[in-house]
Amino acid sequence: MNHKTVSEALDHRRSIRIYDNNQPLDTSKVVSCIRNATLAPNSSNMQLWEFYHIENKETIAAVAATCFNQPAARTADQLVVFVVRKDLWKQRAQANIDYLNSAFEKEKKRDSKREKMALNYYQKTMPMLYGTTNKIVGFIKYLSVQFMGLKKPAYRQIKLEDLRVVAHKSTALAAQTFMLSMAEIGYDTCPMEGFDSLRLKKVLKLPAQSEINMVVSCGIRKQEGVYGDRFRVPFETVYHKI
Ligand SMILES: Cc1cc2nc3c(=O)[nH]c(=O)nc-3n(C[C@H](O)[C@H](O)[C@H](O)COP(=O)(O)O)c2cc1C
């Protein structure tokens, strides 16, 4: 298969609304693209994401119904749902701690200061950020950060809603990494946020604390599934050289 360069994949990727039912995808290739998605950069390497891959036609129809039966979902050969799992922060922090301990174990030249700092990050900073569910405690922390920030630069995005943005950012990067990997091999996609999150979570049997970032439909495009030429506002209106 002829693999595209990154620029070629970017050029190929369009949001496809109608797929060709006569051209099924190779599932193992889609799984490889999901594997690539896990290589996306992500906040603190906490990997607060999950990927739900759907091939079963009945489940696709059920998910499409929660996406208001948009053609991009209804005609898809497969779907991948990108899910934010902020609630898994303890497990992910522990996975990082275990990894760091084993990595330090292998190192010949140990640097205890660096080790301590790295471990502290997952043992103290992450619980401080993700473990605060009480709004009053969160507000006090927020105020103290603003106060500290009067004298020197401070990380201010520590409110509960800030952490939702943090987790969604990383998951969206995974979704884009997936879509570009699909484009690399000539597979098509459409990202969707038009869905009933409550109903979709029920179909996927997801826990209440999870959040759906995007549904990405997959298939091979029908030419009429590309809705017009690509439109972007002039580059000069969004590019600011400082
Ligand atoms: C977060 C997000 C949500 C989107 N939701 C939908 C959607 O629900 N339905 C749809 O048909 N397209 C959806 N799109 C696709 C956009 O409309 C599309 O990316 C945009 O028009 C630019 O076109 P292009 O992707 O072909 O370059 C979404 C895209 C993003 C990034």
Side-chain angles (χ1 to χ4, degrees):
M1 184 182 283
N2 190 11
H3 284 238
K4 293 176 174 53
T5 64
V6 173
S7 296
E8 287 167 347
L10 281 164
D11 192 45
H12 176 84
R13 190 210 61 77
R14 291 297 313 278
S15 292
I16 300 303
R17 276 55 181 246
I18 305 169
Y19 297 97
D20 185 349
N21 292 143
N22 298 318
Q23 296 196 66
L25 302 181
D26 178 337
T27 297
S28 67
K29 287 184 180 161
V30 179
V31 174
S32 297
C33 294
I34 301 173
R35 235 177 241 287
N36 285 348
T38 69
L39 301 181
N42 67 94
S43 181
S44 301
N45 207 15
M46 286 287 277
Q47 304 164 57
L48 297 170
W49 53 34
E50 281 182 334
F51 314 103
Y52 289 80
H53 184 187
I54 306 156
E55 288 182 273
N56 174 288
K57 297 295 166 207
E58 271 173 31
T59 314
I60 290 177
V63 173
T66 71
C67 299
F68 315 114
N69 270 320
Q70 299 186 49
R74 196 166 26 86
T75 68
D77 184 61
Q78 303 186 15
L79 297 171
V80 181
V81 184
F82 289 76
V83 177
V84 173
R85 292 297 305 267
K86 215 157 56 64
D87 56 311
L88 296 180
W89 71 268
K90 265 188 198 160
Q91 288 95 312
R92 298 293 198 262
Q94 190 58 49
N96 271 288
I97 291 165
D98 294 346
Y99 165 73
L100 285 171
N101 278 329
S102 69
F104 291 142
E105 205 64 45
K106 277 193 218 135
E107 267 184 34
K108 295 212 172 68
K109 256 171 110 193
R110 306 284 296 265
D111 175 349
S112 65
K113 204 172 156 208
R114 195 169 60 96
E115 287 180 28
K116 214 171 160 205
M117 262 178 69
L119 284 171
N120 252 347
Y121 191 69
Y122 292 104
Q123 285 167 339
K124 301 222 167 86
T125 311
M126 289 300 107
M128 194 275 282
L129 274 176
Y130 288 97
T132 311
T133 46
N134 183 305
K135 285 202 172 169
I136 297 167
V137 177
F139 189 65
I140 293 167
K141 276 185 190 166
Y142 173 77
L143 283 183
S144 64
V145 165
Q146 302 309 314
F147 184 70
M148 270 158 37
L150 291 173
K151 288 210 180 104
K152 54 178 188 170
Y155 184 73
R156 295 167 194 266
Q157 284 73 39
I158 63 161
K159 284 201 272 185
L160 282 179
E161 57 263 39
D162 294 330
L163 292 174
R164 286 189 59 223
V165 175
V166 166
H168 276 274
K169 265 193 246 180
S170 296
T171 307
L173 285 173
Q176 172 69 343
T177 304
F178 169 71
M179 290 188 280
L180 285 181
S181 293
M182 293 283 277
E184 182 199 8
I185 55 173
Y187 281 9
D188 290 306
T189 55
C190 183
M192 283 173 278
E193 62 189 351
F195 50 75
D196 176 331
S197 55
L198 196 70
R199 286 192 160 82
L200 183 48
K201 276 162 72 170
K202 262 193 194 151
V203 172
L204 299 178
K205 299 188 174 66
L206 287 170
Q209 309 93 301
S210 65
E211 289 185 30
I212 295 165
N213 175 256
M214 248 180 266
V215 176
V216 178
S217 62
C218 314
I220 300 290
R221 69 181 70 184
K222 268 193 169 177
Q223 221 35 59
E224 65 262 35
V226 184
Y227 287 180
D229 290 338
R230 200 171 227 170
F231 163 70
R232 292 296 187 266
V233 296
F235 183 64
E236 298 68 44
T237 60
V238 292
Y239 175 73
H240 305 281
K241 194 167 193 320
I242 295 185

